Amino acid sequence: MVHALEEIRRLVKADGCLIDIHPIPNAALFKIHRGSELLLAEPDPGYDTDESIPRAEEALAEAVQRGLFLIERKDEFELVTYASTLAELRDYWAAYGAYDDTPKDEAVTAQEDAVYAKADEIMQNAPGAEITYHERARITRMEPVGEE
Amino acid sequence: MTIRVDPENNEPRALFSLADFNGQRVLEIGCGDGRLTWRYADKARHVTAIDAFEGSIARAMDNTPDDLKSRVEFRHTGFEDFAATNRAGTFDLAILSWSL
């Protein structure tokens, strides 16, 4: 990851900038609503052990420590994905390659399956319900340091 | 219903509060289907948007609005390969789009 940041530093002009956007650990939340009624709210178990997210934070910190970039500003926002069925949401993630396909820990997979089974059951019994998937993300503006 | 991602525009709002895209040469790494690219490309001078996932890039290419075709270039490539073939100081602004 830091090697990628070194390469980005090379490709960006000395007076340019880097914007990094990445999800915040343990923050994704899966919800089912029908109108204003909240039928389900569960953390996404997949994020609990997604090692790539803390690694992103570490890589940015290391890039600063190595003198590649300075952090100018940071902010956070919520990205919400809406779907009418669970299958639609999962098809979307699969089709767009939204997630790392490296095998997950067995316990995480079991926990994920339990959340999705619960969601499926609720959706079958609640016509008109809508699924929302909430991801918190951090956005950081970084300024290159030194010569190109 | 189709999938709707960020209809509240929270992501572009956060992006525009941190960066001015006017007249910039932009590199977006991990552009996916172009969801974020479309939000700023009309302001940029030129956008090179890359992703290692072929399906996403194909969708991005297919869905490129006509008025952006002259300034947005999508490439199916990994970042290391892309970096190896590009000169230093090519871009004003780089975006790591959920890809670090």
Side-chain angles (χ1 to χ4, degrees):
Chain A
M1 282 184 173
V2 175
H3 176 67
L5 289 165
E6 284 173 350
E7 284 296 291
I8 292 168
R9 170 66 194 87
R10 186 181 67 79
L11 293 174
V12 171
K13 292 176 183 170
D15 60 351
C17 77
L18 166 64
I19 301 287
D20 171 68
I21 304 171
H22 69 261
I24 296 171
N26 302 320
L29 198 67
F30 188 82
K31 293 182 184 176
I32 299 178
H33 308 257
R34 186 167 55 184
S36 58
E37 186 186 7
L38 179 63
L39 304 175
L40 174 74
E42 296 276 349
D44 177 0
Y47 271 106
D48 292 343
T49 55
D50 189 337
E51 292 175 2
S52 68
I53 299 171
R55 280 207 305 266
E57 292 282 337
E58 287 166 13
L60 293 181
E62 195 176 335
V64 170
Q65 196 179 15
R66 285 195 192 180
L68 297 172
F69 290 96
L70 281 176
I71 292 176
E72 287 185 287
R73 280 180 66 193
K74 277 185 185 182
D75 200 356
E76 290 182 8
F77 64 90
E78 183 179 60
L79 188 107
V80 186
T81 302
Y82 296 77
S84 54
T85 67
L86 187 59
E88 187 180 51
L89 186 62
R90 297 182 97 168
D91 286 350
Y92 172 78
W93 286 336
Y96 287 84
Y99 285 101
D100 190 354
D101 58 1
T102 49
K104 286 179 183 165
D105 181 85
E106 221 171 86
V108 173
T109 305
Q111 205 179 339
E112 256 181 7
D113 289 347
V115 170
Y116 293 141
K118 194 170 166 185
D120 254 341
E121 190 186 333
I122 291 170
M123 290 298 287
Q124 280 167 16
N125 294 307
E130 185 174 54
I131 295 172
T132 54
Y133 191 76
H134 302 248
E135 296 168 273
R136 289 291 304 172
R138 182 163 295 137
I139 181 166
T140 307
R141 179 186 165 106
M142 304 178 82
E143 174 187 296
V145 178
E147 296 300 312
E148 281 170 20
Chain B
M1 178 190 165
T2 54
I3 292 280
R4 290 175 294 137
V5 182
D6 192 28
E8 299 85 2
N9 290 322
N10 290 338
E11 189 177 35
R13 193 176 301 121
L15 184 64
F16 293 143
S17 75
L18 293 191
D20 178 5
F21 287 85
N22 285 303
Q24 303 286 288
R25 294 188 71 87
V26 181
L27 168 63
E28 185 180 344
I29 302 155
C31 62
D33 62 347
R35 173 177 60 79
L36 185 59
T37 319
W38 309 139
R39 305 295 184 100
Y40 66 80
D42 61 328
K43 298 171 180 61
R45 179 174 160 207
H46 187 266
V47 179
T48 304
I50 68 170
D51 201 294
F53 192 75
E54 191 171 12
S56 295
I57 282 289
R59 283 179 179 82
M61 287 174 171
D62 287 347
N63 296 327
T64 304
D66 287 343
D67 60 332
L68 294 179
K69 282 182 176 164
S70 62
R71 69 176 78 185
V72 180
E73 177 191 0
F74 284 103
R75 288 201 208 167
H76 170 222
T77 179
F79 176 66
E80 284 193 12
D81 291 339
F82 176 83
T85 55
N86 279 268
R87 287 180 301 152
T90 303
F91 300 97
D92 300 297
L93 203 162
I95 303 172
L96 276 164
S97 187
W98 302 72
S99 57
L100 185 59

